[in-house]
Amino acid sequence: MTLSPLAPNITHLSHTHTSELDAVAQAAEWLAGAQSVVALTGAGVSAESGLPTFRGAGGLWRNRRPETLATPEAFAADPKTVWEWYDWRRSVHAGCSPNPGHHALVELERAKSEFCLVSQNVDGLHEQAGSRRILKLHGDLWKVRCLTCGREERDTRVPIDPLPPYCSCGGMLRPAVVWFGESLSEETLRAAFDAASRADLVLVLGTSSIVYPAAKIPRVALERGARVIEINLEPTELSSSAHLSLRGKTGELLPEIVRRALGGAP
Ligand code: OAD
């Protein structure tokens, strides 16, 4: 898929052009009026739960090279080291709980007849908050897959000992996540792009919007005439194309926008 020019009728209201209050009110109004909503989430949504993001200050990729830990080649060369990193992440994640941003997305799912949550996160916090329908683009940290028989199953052991773990068939288990250079599930990806094509509003929450194909999802929606609202601490690759780009924490701004959109007190 190639990028196309953006729809011409975009009114860009960045945080620098409008007060935060106006932007929140505008976002709430658009959300209230939207029939079909997609929310695309990234690591920033879980930051307020205490999980490190990948990029930026304190990010997991700041002093680690992704290709040494998150590629099939790295795993083939040294499965124990890769597993130790995933085991460490599982132990950090196990102590975390969903934050108000996750909960706001559950409310949206319940309120909107057409709502699709698409997540790049593997942490399980959306499910823990109560989201029911999630398209998990990058897999699940709490699942393992056998390299020999291909069986995938939930595994919540923390820690896993010994590492690497093995399947009952004797094959080695790997984390059921998508690594760099690997394909995403075609079915999941198709469902995400279908939802983006139908959406009249896309919320892009706590993602740097640089990892493809996920970053393409709001672009497709824009081409189809949907409104795009971004919430992020910092400007991203998407900010200048979004109709509204809010600077702040998803755990603070999103619950406020959802509350107003769903008829809470102004
Ligand atoms: P990144 O770490 O690239 O980006 C996180 C974004 O969240 C940044 O733009 C931050 O500014 C923003 N952010 C941090 N805290 C926030 C908060 N409280 N509220 C709002 N925004 C906040 O994470 P992703 O975009 O999810 O892939 O990264 C995409 C993929 O790259 C991940 O799924 C992972 C990674 O390598 C794989 O592992 C395959």
Side-chain angles (χ1 to χ4, degrees):
M1 276 182 292
T2 52
L3 278 176
S4 312
L6 301 173
N9 59 342
I10 287 173
T11 321
H12 182 249
L13 293 171
S14 82
H15 182 58
T16 48
H17 297 134
T18 186
S19 78
E20 186 176 299
L21 224 57
D22 290 345
V24 166
Q26 178 68 87
E29 190 187 318
W30 287 348
L31 182 57
Q35 301 290 319
S36 177
V37 177
V38 167
L40 171 66
T41 62
V45 165
S46 296
E48 289 156 81
S49 293
L51 295 180
T53 59
F54 293 93
R55 298 168 185 85
L60 291 171
W61 295 150
R62 202 173 162 78
N63 43 29
R64 293 178 184 86
R65 286 186 302 135
E67 60 272 26
T68 62
L69 291 165
T71 61
E73 293 77 19
F75 189 72
D78 188 353
K80 188 163 191 283
T81 297
V82 171
W83 254 119
E84 279 167 357
W85 189 63
Y86 278 92
D87 196 47
W88 168 75
R89 281 179 62 194
R90 285 161 62 109
S91 72
V92 175
H93 288 38
C96 292
S97 309
N99 66 58
H102 296 104
H103 292 301
L105 289 166
V106 179
E107 279 183 55
L108 260 189
E109 181 181 278
R110 289 180 184 150
K112 291 280 174 190
S113 52
E114 253 201 272
F115 178 76
C116 182
L117 175 56
V118 184
S119 188
Q120 298 165 87
N121 299 344
V122 296
D123 54 40
L125 290 178
H126 285 306
E127 295 95 310
Q128 213 177 308
S131 287
R132 292 276 167 263
R133 286 171 283 126
I134 312 163
L135 297 176
K136 288 194 251 182
L137 296 178
H138 295 166
D140 190 330
L141 193 63
W142 300 105
K143 284 187 176 165
V144 292
R145 185 164 67 245
C146 176
L147 293 178
T148 303
C149 70
R151 203 172 71 169
E152 197 166 292
E153 63 183 15
R154 195 164 159 76
D155 181 333
T156 55
R157 288 175 291 164
V158 175
I160 295 179
D161 187 26
L163 289 174
Y166 285 88
C167 178
S168 51
C169 82
M172 190 187 289
L173 294 171
R174 61 163 279 179
V177 298
V178 180
W179 282 324
F180 290 102
E182 292 185 321
S183 302
L184 282 73
S185 150
E186 265 183 42
E187 194 188 332
T188 308
L189 204 53
R190 195 175 314 115
F193 279 107
D194 282 353
S197 306
R198 285 195 309 272
D200 37 56
L201 181 75
V202 178
L203 300 166
V204 185
L205 308 167
T207 172
S208 54
S209 288
I210 58 171
V211 173
Y212 281 77
K216 178 90 181 144
I217 290 170
R219 303 265 175 202
V220 164
L222 280 168
E223 286 165 13
R224 295 294 183 103
R227 284 191 171 120
V228 171
I229 300 173
E230 174 185 63
I231 304 178
N232 199 301
L233 288 180
E234 298 167 358
T236 72
E237 295 289 311
L238 180 73
S239 301
S240 61
S241 309
H243 293 77
L244 200 53
S245 186
L246 295 168
R247 290 293 147 267
K249 295 182 174 179
T250 48
E252 292 173 1
L253 291 174
L254 187 64
E256 179 61 16
I257 292 167
V258 169
R259 188 180 65 82
R260 290 181 183 216
L262 301 186

